[in-house]
């Protein structure tokens, strides 16, 4: 197994299948920590992790905070609304100041694609991409892949469908990179206006028929419809979208019996997924949330090791 060897995690596009496997195996070893009476290991004791979120987040920010604390790191959350960022300080200046304060890892979420990579080039400390624009959300994809493998035992040869707002989804891009590198067959399904041009070059099958996406799938990952990004009248209305693309119990009657249903959250119940499915026996949505802690513990730990050249 290859070593990690990198100080940053910026996206799954830049990793090999072996490196992704290494993260997943490391997450396996950390998962047990959350079941202990005292949920801590000393792996990052004395280190400082800074969560720098320029966009709202509940699951991802809290998951990173819990993961860092379970590694015994000190954690600082920077609220952009009450920091010097409101006074016009740039991302780079903020990052350099965090470095000067002797922090060790910055977890950054930003609305601009490439922001995490730009920051990583300017600081010597580790940078973890917690979502940048429409580009990538690597830890979400890693926890999705971790959950699929935990439930179905493998990734190689599985049929995975990603349904929803593909065009605006950084989760979709990271999932496609990760799943295809590990040997899965990926199908993306959405209204035609939400399929980005050229996505077939990523090695995916494309359909605008939800039944085609469900029929052969071993797992289906349902994405949130981002209606707040609606700038045109061509965007499907909510009821229209539910009628034609929502994952419902009725549609799952035509799926494989052991199909699992995933969602990165937050869920729009009654729009992209019915409550029956979201809360049903095929749903692994809350398992994804739980697994996010072990995966982010692995990423923080490996990034710290990578910075030290281990």
């Amino acid at each position: 197994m290859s070593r990690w060897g990198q100080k940053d995690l910026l996206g799954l596009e830049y990793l090999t299948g072996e490196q992704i496997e290494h993260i997943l195996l490391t997450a396996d070893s950390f998962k047990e920590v959350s079941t202990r009476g005292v949920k801590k290991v000393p792996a990052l004791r004395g280190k400082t992790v800074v969560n720098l979120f320029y966009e709202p987040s509940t699951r991802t920010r809290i998951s990173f905070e819990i993961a860092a604390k379970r590694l015994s790191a000190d954690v600082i959350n920077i609220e952009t609304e009450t920091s010097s960022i409101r006074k016009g300080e740039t991302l780079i200046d903020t990052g350099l100041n965090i470095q000067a304060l002797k922090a060790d890892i910055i977890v950054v979420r930003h609305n601009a694609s490439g922001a995490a990579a730009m920051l990583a080039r300017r600081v010597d400390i580790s940078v973890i991409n917690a979502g940048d624009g429409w580009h990538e959300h690597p830890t979400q994809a890693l926890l999705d892949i971790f959950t699929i493998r935990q439930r179905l035992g493998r990734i190689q040869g599985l049929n995975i469908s990603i349904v929803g707002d593909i065009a605006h989804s950084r989760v979709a891009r990271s999932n496609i990179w990760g799943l295809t590198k590990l040997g899965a067959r990926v199908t993306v399904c959405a209204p035609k206006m939400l399929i980005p041009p050229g996505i077939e070059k990523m090695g995916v099958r494309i359909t605008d028929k939800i039944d085609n996406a469900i029929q052969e799938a071993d797992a289906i990952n349902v994405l949130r419809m981002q209606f707040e990004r609606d700038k045109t009248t061509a965007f499907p209305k909510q009821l229209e979208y539910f009628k034609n693309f929502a994952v419902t119990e009725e549609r799952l009657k035509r799926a494989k019996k052991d199909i699992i249903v995933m969602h990165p959250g937050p869920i729009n119940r009654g729009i992209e997924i019915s409550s029956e499915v979201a809360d049903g026996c095929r749903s692994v949505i809350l398992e994804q949330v739980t697994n996010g802690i072990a995966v982010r513990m692995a990423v923080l730990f490996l990034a710290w090791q990578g910075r030290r050249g281990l």
Side-chain angles (χ1 to χ4, degrees):
M1 181 62 65
S2 66
R3 296 187 310 168
W4 171 246
Q6 301 188 31
K7 79 174 182 72
D8 310 305
L9 175 65
L10 304 176
L12 299 195
E13 179 181 1
Y14 318 109
L15 302 187
T16 65
E18 278 195 339
Q19 288 172 319
I20 294 170
E21 282 282 359
H22 189 49
I23 296 173
L24 299 177
L25 288 174
T26 307
D28 264 331
S29 68
F30 279 128
K31 190 175 179 191
E32 172 267 338
V33 174
S34 292
T35 67
R36 296 181 184 179
V38 177
K39 302 180 182 66
K40 273 188 183 293
V41 290
L44 291 186
R45 185 165 55 197
K47 308 299 180 291
T48 301
V49 175
V50 175
N51 288 325
L52 179 60
F53 277 54
Y54 287 76
E55 287 185 330
S57 172
T58 304
R59 274 163 299 277
T60 302
R61 193 192 62 75
I62 293 174
S63 182
F64 266 112
E65 182 171 355
I66 291 174
K69 288 181 175 177
R70 292 201 175 152
L71 294 168
S72 300
D74 298 313
V75 181
I76 296 172
N77 296 308
I78 294 182
E79 303 292 340
T80 55
E81 290 299 309
T82 57
S83 71
S84 291
I85 294 165
R86 281 293 301 273
K87 301 175 183 175
E89 186 172 78
T90 67
L91 170 64
I92 298 301
D93 282 338
T94 300
L96 290 171
N97 278 291
I98 292 171
Q99 177 173 271
L101 291 166
K102 305 303 180 186
D104 300 284
I105 300 173
I106 299 176
V107 178
V108 62
R109 169 170 288 193
H110 202 282
N111 58 8
S113 299
M118 181 177 69
L119 179 62
R121 287 193 293 271
R122 294 296 301 275
V123 297
D124 296 325
I125 60 178
S126 294
V127 174
I128 308 297
N129 181 6
D132 61 329
W134 300 352
H135 176 225
E136 282 220 41
H137 192 347
T139 57
Q140 178 65 48
L142 287 166
L143 74 88
D144 291 343
I145 296 168
F146 186 90
T147 303
I148 294 170
R149 196 167 72 169
Q150 176 181 268
R151 274 301 190 106
L152 303 179
R154 62 191 171 92
I155 300 298
Q156 177 77 37
L158 292 180
N159 293 309
I160 313 294
S161 290
I162 304 173
V163 178
D165 188 352
I166 309 296
H168 302 112
S169 178
R170 53 199 177 204
V171 173
R173 285 171 180 76
S174 288
N175 263 275
I176 292 168
W177 286 121
L179 287 166
T180 55
K181 287 182 179 184
L182 296 182
R185 294 183 288 270
V186 179
T187 298
V188 297
C189 176
K192 289 179 180 176
M193 74 285 289
L194 296 180
I195 298 289
I199 196 168
E200 68 277 4
K201 294 177 183 175
M202 296 178 73
V204 300
R205 187 172 74 103
I206 301 169
T207 181
D208 61 355
K209 308 295 183 189
I210 183 66
D211 289 337
N212 290 345
I214 287 177
Q215 199 168 27
E216 297 298 323
D218 298 290
I220 183 165
N221 199 350
V222 188
L223 303 179
R224 184 176 73 88
M225 281 298 292
Q226 302 182 46
F227 288 103
E228 70 275 15
R229 300 188 191 276
D230 182 8
K231 304 297 183 188
T232 74
T233 56
F235 212 79
K237 301 305 177 192
Q238 294 185 11
L239 286 176
E240 179 188 354
Y241 185 84
F242 183 81
K243 178 182 176 183
N244 294 306
F245 289 94
V247 177
T248 63
E249 280 293 339
E250 187 62 31
R251 288 197 163 109
L252 287 181
K253 289 178 181 175
R254 297 185 283 278
K256 292 182 178 178
K257 289 183 179 178
D258 57 350
I259 189 174
I260 61 172
V261 179
M262 314 174 74
H263 195 303
I267 298 173
N268 288 319
R269 291 173 182 264
I271 298 178
E272 68 261 3
I273 189 171
S274 69
S275 285
E276 280 181 300
V277 174
D279 302 327
C281 61
R282 299 180 183 88
S283 172
V284 296
I285 295 170
L286 293 180
E287 290 177 40
Q288 291 173 261
V289 177
T290 300
N291 288 335
I293 298 172
V295 166
R296 289 174 173 125
M297 288 173 73
V299 168
L300 291 167
F301 176 69
L302 291 172
W304 166 244
Q305 280 200 322
R307 183 185 166 196
R308 297 169 61 208
L310 297 177

